[in-house]
Amino acid sequence: MTWAPDQTRATNMPGMPAMAQAYARWVNAQGGIDGHELRVLTCNEQNTPAGAAGCARRAVHEGAVAVVGSYSQNGRAFMAPLEAAGIPYIGGYGITEDEFTSPLSYPVNGGVASLVAGHGMQLAESCRKVSLVRPDTLAGDQLTKLLDSGLKRASKRGAVDIPAVEDATEYTAQAARAKERAGSDGGCVAAVLGERTQTFFDSFRRLPGSSGGAQAADEGSGGGEDANGSKGSKAARGVRISSVLGSVGQPLIDRTGGARSPFEGAYVTGWYPEADDKSWAPMRKVIQEQAFADNRVDPTDAGVQTTWIAYTVFRQVVESLHTDKITAARLSEALDRGARVDTGGLTPPLRWMYEDLLGASDFPRIVNRQVTFQVVRKGRLVAQKPGFVDVGATVGAAG
C-alpha cells in the first residue's frame, strides 16, 4: 500500500500514490518482481489521525506485505496498527518521529530532521543572521533546535524563532518580524511551513523593499557570484530567503513564475540530487512510459522521488528473497538481517542493520545522513555545491 493526503487544506501529496501505481504498471509489464505480480493499494490519508489509522487498518485487512513510499504527519495513528500486524513501513516521507523510532520503519532519507539541520549548515556559510518561521506545533518546536545545531557547527548564533499558525491564509506580521530580525545586511529568512510556505513568501514579498531572493552573494558556491551567476559583494547584500525540500521545490518554483519567481536566488536543502541529475533517468523513463498524461506525477517533486526510491528498495529486497511466497515477516526479516540496496546514486547504499543506524536519541533509525545544498538559479533548483553533505553529527547533536 501507498498512502498520502489529497484534497485537504494542509499539505497534499497526490503524486506519491500515483507514482506507486505507475511503478506497478511498469514492473508488471516486465514480468513482475522476481516473477511476482505487484498489486498496489492506495489510500487518501486525509491529513488526519483518523484517516491515517484507517489507511493502516485497511493495509492490515487487505493483507499488504508492506507500506511503501507514503506520506503522513500522523505517525502514532498509523504505526501502531502496522506494528501489531508486523507490516514494514518502507521509505516514508520522513515527516514524523515514529518513522525514525519504530523498529518496523525503514527510512530512505534522514527526514525533516536532516533537512533542517543541514539547512543550518548551508545558511551558516552565507548568512549573518537567520530568522526561522516554522509551525507553532510540537513538531515545529523541534525545528528551531535542529536549525540551530547546524548554525552553531559554524560558530554562528542561533536563529530568531518565529512560530506561525500552520494553516494561516496570510503571514504579514510574521514576515515583517522575520525580515526585521534578520536584518538587511546579509540576513536570511528561512520558512519551513510545508504547503503554506508559498503563502508566507507571498506575504513576505509584499513588504516594502522585498523583491525575493537573488540579492546576496552566493558564498557557498565559492567565488562571490550571486544566485544568478553574477558577481556580487558583501556590501550589496540584502535579505535572502531559504527553505527545505518539501516546503519549496521545483513544482512550486514553476507555478510561481520560474526565473521570475519570488524564489529566485533562494537557498534550499534537499535529500537527493537535483532534479536534472542523470541518476533520475530511470524514474523519468518509467513516468514517460506509464504516467505521461498524469499531471500528479511530477519527476521534480520530492514526494514522487521518495516513492520511486522506496519502491526501488522494495523491489531489491523482494528479489533477494527468491521465494514463492512474499510475506511482511519475510520482508522485515530480510531488512533486519542486512539487505543492502543500491539506489543508483540517488542516496548512499542503504542498509538497516544496527551498526548502520545513526543512534541519535530522537532519530535512532536514520541510516541516510546525507543532504544536498541547492539554490534557485534561472528558475531551476541546481546544486549549490556538488555531491552530498553528511549531517549525521549535526542531527546527533540536536537529537
Side-chain angles (χ1 to χ4, degrees), residues 247-286:
S247 287
V248 171
Q250 192 61 53
L252 174 58
I253 296 164
D254 293 341
R255 286 198 310 271
T256 54
R260 297 180 180 273
S261 165
F263 298 102
E264 181 69 15
Y267 295 124
V268 179
T269 304
W271 291 306
Y272 314 125
E274 59 190 274
D276 294 331
D277 190 279
K278 64 182 180 180
S279 301
W280 294 111
M283 180 191 72
R284 289 179 175 275
K285 184 173 185 292
V286 170

Side-chain angles (χ1 to χ4, degrees), residues 128-217:
R128 294 188 179 181
K129 295 180 181 178
V130 177
S131 294
L132 172 65
V133 184
R134 49 82 175 178
D136 189 9
T137 62
L138 288 175
D141 291 346
Q142 195 166 41
L143 300 183
T144 306
K145 181 171 68 170
L146 287 161
L147 188 79
D148 286 350
S149 70
L151 290 170
K152 290 174 181 177
R153 281 186 68 81
S155 300
K156 291 292 182 78
R157 72 179 73 181
V160 177
D161 182 28
I162 302 176
V165 176
E166 193 170 18
D167 59 354
T169 56
E170 62 89 26
Y171 293 96
T172 302
Q174 292 85 355
R177 184 179 173 216
K179 181 181 177 183
E180 178 186 2
R181 296 299 298 275
S184 60
D185 184 16
C188 292
V189 172
V192 183
L193 292 165
E195 283 201 351
R196 289 292 192 248
T197 303
Q198 177 182 354
T199 305
F200 171 80
F201 282 122
D202 282 344
S203 297
F204 181 85
R205 68 186 177 87
R206 291 187 176 95
L207 296 175
S210 295
S211 59
Q215 302 177 48

Side-chain angles (χ1 to χ4, degrees), residues 222-244:
E225 294 184 353
D226 71 12
N228 296 305
S230 303
K231 295 292 182 181
S233 68
K234 289 184 178 181
R237 296 168 71 186
V239 179
R240 194 70 170 267
I241 65 175
S242 71
S243 191
V244 299

Side-chain angles (χ1 to χ4, degrees), residues 54-133:
C55 288
R57 287 194 298 268
R58 183 179 163 216
V60 174
H61 178 72
E62 301 213 27
V65 297
V67 175
V68 184
S70 295
Y71 180 103
S72 176
Q73 298 185 48
N74 301 290
R76 292 182 182 178
F78 72 73
M79 208 69 230
L82 296 185
E83 288 176 343
I87 297 175
Y89 188 74
I90 300 173
Y93 189 81
I95 199 77
T96 70
E97 178 182 334
D98 300 77
E99 295 174 63
F100 299 100
T101 57
S102 171
L104 277 174
S105 179
Y106 304 90
V108 299
N109 58 47
V112 174
S114 68
L115 288 182
V116 177
H119 199 52
M121 295 170 63
Q122 183 181 19
L123 296 184
E125 297 179 354
S126 303
C127 306
R128 294 188 179 181
K129 295 180 181 178
V130 177
S131 294
L132 172 65
V133 184

